[in-house]
Each structure stands twice: as structure tokens, then as C-alpha cells.
């Protein structure tokens, strides 16, 4: 179930399968190619933040976890990086 919709390239959802971790950010890169294998359009970077309904059990934990996972998503959507580099801390 999607609870928050930020833009077409990012969503936040509750995940009942997460039992021990508060949240996770899943990133995706979509590249459109023609029949010859040539890239025909700009790549699309997207991210999904998944929050555990079992671990995130109060507003403070929700705020902290969501802020942390949105930093990961921002690093991917803005810098196209999954590494926690110096630029990550700018978010």
C-alpha cells in the first residue's frame, strides 16, 4: 500500500515483511533501448522507501527512519550514487 507519493520517481510504502530493520531504500535504474540495443532515451532513476510497520512503532522512530531513508533516496535520485560519500551528508 502506497502511503506517501512524492513524485513519479519515488514512493514510500509500509512493508509488513520487514521484521528487524526499520526501513530500506530500493533503487532502480531503467534504460530504454531499441531493437539494436542502443539507448534511445534518458535513463530513469527511481527509488522506493519501505518502512517496517513492526519496527517503526512511534512518531520519533518514524521521523528518524524516514529522514535517514530519504537521504539514501536523495543521493540516488540527485547524485545517481548508492555510496555514502561526502555528498550524502549534504542532504
Amino acid at each position: 500500500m502506497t502511503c506517501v507519493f512524492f513524485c513519479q520517481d519515488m514512493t514510500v510504502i509500509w512493508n509488513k515483511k520487514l521484521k528487524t530493520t526499520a526501513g530500506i531504500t530500493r533503487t532502480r535504474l531503467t534504460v530504454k533501448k531499441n531493437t539494436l540495443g542502443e539507448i534511445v532515451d534518458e535513463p530513469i532513476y527511481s527509488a522506493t522507501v519501505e518502512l517496517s510497520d513492526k519496527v517503526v512503532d512511534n512518531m520519533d522512530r518514524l521521523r528518524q527512519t524516514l529522514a535517514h531513508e530519504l537521504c539514501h533516496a536523495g543521493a540516488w535520485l540527485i547524485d545517481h550514487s548508492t555510496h555514502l560519500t561526502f555528498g550524502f551528508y549534504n542532504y
Side-chain angles (χ1 to χ4, degrees):
M1 174 174 105
T2 302
C3 295
V4 180
F5 187 79
F6 288 99
C7 65
Q8 70 180 29
D9 299 329
M10 196 182 120
T11 55
V12 177
I13 62 172
W14 290 102
N15 184 338
K16 293 182 180 191
K17 294 181 180 179
L18 293 177
K19 306 242 188 259
T20 58
T21 187
I24 188 169
T25 300
R26 299 188 190 274
T27 59
R28 183 176 195 165
L29 174 61
T30 305
V31 180
K32 294 182 182 178
K33 296 181 179 181
N34 62 15
T35 56
L36 300 175
E38 301 166 334
I39 297 174
V40 295
D41 204 359
E42 291 291 321
I44 299 171
Y45 294 85
S46 59
T48 301
V49 172
E50 299 178 13
L51 301 173
S52 170
D53 61 350
K54 293 171 181 57
V55 179
V56 180
D57 55 1
N58 61 52
M59 290 301 291
D60 188 49
R61 188 164 285 179
L62 173 63
R63 181 182 54 82
Q64 291 176 354
T65 304
L66 186 58
H68 177 87
E69 296 305 328
L70 288 176
C71 287
H72 287 293
W76 175 248
L77 295 173
I78 296 168
D79 294 337
H80 306 161
S81 172
T82 58
H83 301 290
L84 301 180
T85 61
F86 177 74
F88 171 80
Y89 296 102
N90 291 332
Y91 306 111

